[in-house]
Amino acid sequence: MTADPQGIVARDLAGLAEWTAASALYRTVFGYQGPEHAVSPRLLAALRENAGTVVGAFDGDGSLVGFCYGFTGVEHGELYHYSQAAVVDARAQGRGVGRLLKHAQAEAARRAGARTMRWTFDPYALRNVHFNLNVLGAVGIRFLPDFYDDGDSDRVLVRWDLDRPGGGTRAPGHAAVDSPADDRTAARRPDDRARLRQELADRFAAGGRLVGVARRADRPGRVSYLFAQD
């Protein structure tokens, strides 16, 4: 169990009622209507029993305000935990629920034997980029164009070291990819998006690792993706 000073508690979800509430929160937060996007409570039960994670965040009154789930993966002999999704009720945004969930999920992943976690995020949604890289300290290791094969799902795969879940001290980016940006989104115009997409793909293909994002103080309306080299 993980708690924060605001009285929000994150813990493993147990039982049909909690798994069903988590499934409903997932659909609500993402605005999903079709059954193809549902998270089955039975899937959550299976994950919980087989080295997966099913974690909920509860407010002081016992209301479910956040949920995440994941499963164990292996690549080149490395055992890691993959976090498939994390959602936070709109009423609880800005209260640190996402960070609390990730750290609770990390604890569960360690218990299952993992020493790293992975997940993907939208590289153009700047608040997500900031949270994953600058706040949690995860590192982007791979660019995945159109990850969900729906025409609009470019993703960056990150790796999070569970022995240093705060990120620790890292070398500054050796190179930067710059893009126009507003408060929330990078490269809204189609031509800017195509250019940024290619530059990110090229940087990762050349061995770069995405370690941060920063606003350009000298050039308002632009953002820099900071890369370090292996």
Side-chain angles (χ1 to χ4, degrees):
M1 182 181 294
T2 304
D4 77 349
Q6 300 185 63
I8 297 175
V9 174
R11 60 168 175 80
D12 293 347
L13 297 181
L16 180 60
E18 291 188 349
W19 301 328
T20 301
S23 178
L25 180 63
Y26 177 84
R27 291 195 308 273
T28 297
V29 170
F30 283 119
Y32 291 145
Q33 301 294 324
E36 69 273 16
H37 295 301
V39 175
S40 166
R42 292 192 174 194
L43 170 64
L44 300 182
L47 288 173
R48 185 175 182 272
E49 190 65 23
N50 294 278
T53 53
V54 183
V55 178
F58 293 85
D59 210 341
D61 64 0
S63 300
L64 182 69
V65 295
F67 157 63
C68 64
Y69 74 101
F71 48 86
T72 299
V74 179
E75 183 178 49
H76 304 310
E78 177 191 353
L79 178 74
Y80 62 88
H81 192 82
Y82 185 83
S83 179
Q84 170 61 26
V87 297
V88 177
D89 192 308
R91 295 168 295 179
Q93 293 284 346
R95 298 175 60 188
V97 177
R99 186 171 187 172
L100 186 70
L101 281 171
K102 269 290 187 280
H103 283 280
Q105 192 174 34
E107 288 184 12
R110 288 190 199 95
R111 293 196 299 269
R115 288 297 173 264
T116 62
M117 276 176 59
R118 296 185 184 189
W119 62 88
T120 63
F121 67 84
D122 181 344
Y124 315 121
L126 292 175
R127 291 188 180 185
N128 287 344
V129 182
H130 171 76
F131 174 72
N132 288 301
L133 303 181
N134 298 354
V135 175
L136 292 179
V139 174
I141 61 172
R142 195 175 302 156
F143 185 72
L144 303 171
D146 198 17
F147 183 49
Y148 294 114
D149 194 30
D150 60 7
D152 187 31
S153 58
D154 290 348
R155 294 293 185 267
V156 166
L157 177 69
V158 297
R159 182 181 188 272
W160 197 31
D161 185 349
L162 298 185
D163 292 326
R164 295 191 309 155
T169 301
R170 295 181 295 175
H174 295 173
V177 170
D178 286 357
S179 171
D182 57 27
D183 288 344
R184 290 177 174 269
T185 306
R188 281 193 183 272
R189 291 174 42 182
D191 56 337
D192 290 331
R193 178 64 56 86
R195 186 180 305 111
L196 175 58
R197 186 182 202 240
Q198 188 61 55
E199 290 182 356
L200 291 175
D202 290 347
R203 191 71 67 181
F204 277 106
R209 294 293 179 261
L210 183 59
V211 297
V213 64
R215 295 284 178 180
R216 290 288 302 267
D218 59 331
R219 298 183 67 185
R222 297 191 70 84
V223 68
S224 294
Y225 293 80
L226 307 177
F227 281 83
Q229 200 72 20
D230 277 351

